[in-house]
Amino acid sequence: MIHEQIDTIDALMAHYVAGSLPEPARVLVRSHLEMKADNRSLVDSLELLAGEALESAGETAIADRDRQLQAIFSSAAPVAAPQAVRRPDNALFPQALRDFVGFEVEDVPWRKRLPGFKEYSLERDGCEVNLMWIRPGRALPAHTHKGMELILILDGAFNDERGRFGPGDISIADETVDHRPVAEKDRPCIAFAVSDGPVKLTGSLRQMIGDLIG
């Protein structure tokens, strides 16, 4: 996803402010900020620090000035900072996610991957992007990652070895995380995931077979 390791929400927000995240990860963070406005204050502080650092930097000559200016003036207008917004009563997806995928939850062309587990997948900007639907109480097979995975919970919740992840929370996992997410029993868990590498199944053969069967 990026060369530097991201292992905390603060680090993820810093990379968001720096503009170093690929498009799907930016959409995930923007969706998170719509759902959890409290983290907007952290982003505002990081943007303020970045602006102060830029103002205090010494002057540097711009190479190929005319070409650089042409690229700036021809680029798209900056997107307004995400704010907490009231979604329509029948809308589950944050606006940033709806704009990205082009539909709401009731229109997702789900594809069954395992019993009790549905998915919609696409690739964008070098990342695998997935919408996931997990049946209440369903455990996903234990696994680790050969890259980085970001999961934004849209509805419901799952629990794993690290704790509980509910609506608006982001799970950050890489090769150091070996987990077995289990959806809570009261409602399906619906999530938006962005990853840049495949998963590697772990755990005992007996548990793996049981989780795959569901």
Side-chain angles (χ1 to χ4, degrees):
M1 198 169 296
I2 60 172
H3 295 300
E4 298 83 2
Q5 183 181 22
I6 297 177
D7 54 3
T8 65
I9 294 296
D10 287 359
L12 178 63
M13 296 301 149
H15 282 285
Y16 172 74
V17 170
S20 58
L21 296 175
E23 180 191 10
R26 292 198 304 271
V27 171
L28 185 145
V29 172
R30 288 179 59 80
S31 298
H32 161 77
L33 293 173
E34 285 186 41
M35 297 178 73
K36 289 208 164 185
D38 289 349
N39 273 359
R40 182 67 230 176
S41 61
L42 171 60
V43 171
D44 290 341
S45 298
L46 291 172
E47 289 175 339
L48 179 61
L49 289 173
E52 291 175 348
L54 184 61
E55 289 180 358
S56 63
E59 295 183 0
T60 303
I62 299 176
D64 199 356
R65 175 178 176 276
D66 292 340
R67 184 179 64 81
Q68 296 281 6
L69 287 174
Q70 183 179 5
I72 292 171
F73 291 134
S74 63
S75 62
V79 180
Q83 303 293 330
V85 295
R86 184 182 184 279
R87 284 176 282 173
D89 293 338
N90 62 341
L92 178 68
F93 293 171
Q95 185 65 50
L97 179 57
R98 288 202 303 275
D99 291 344
F100 181 68
V101 298
F103 42 70
E104 245 298 334
V105 63
E106 63 268 17
D107 300 316
V108 177
W110 297 111
R111 182 175 180 182
K112 182 177 178 180
R113 295 294 187 184
L114 296 169
F117 177 69
K118 298 185 292 187
E119 195 174 53
Y120 168 72
S121 302
L122 60 117
E123 291 188 13
R124 189 80 61 84
D125 204 7
C127 298
E128 182 176 350
V129 181
N130 297 292
L131 291 168
M132 302 185 295
W133 182 97
I134 310 170
R135 185 186 65 212
R138 211 303 183 192
L140 296 184
H143 62 277
T144 186
H145 302 267
K146 293 184 178 181
M148 183 171 296
E149 177 189 67
L150 306 174
I151 299 179
L152 171 66
I153 306 302
L154 302 169
D155 195 34
F158 76 72
N159 292 269
D160 66 10
E161 291 75 2
R162 299 164 299 163
R164 181 181 188 271
F165 296 86
D169 291 338
I170 298 176
S171 162
I172 302 175
D174 58 17
E175 69 276 1
T176 67
V177 175
D178 190 335
H179 61 155
R180 181 175 177 259
V182 181
E184 292 189 346
K185 295 182 178 180
D186 61 332
R187 61 192 300 122
C189 178
I190 300 175
F192 173 50
V194 178
S195 61
D196 63 0
V199 301
K200 177 183 177 182
L201 296 180
T202 59
S204 68
L205 178 60
R206 179 177 180 180
Q207 182 188 72
M208 188 184 304
I209 292 174
D211 289 343
L212 289 172
I213 294 174

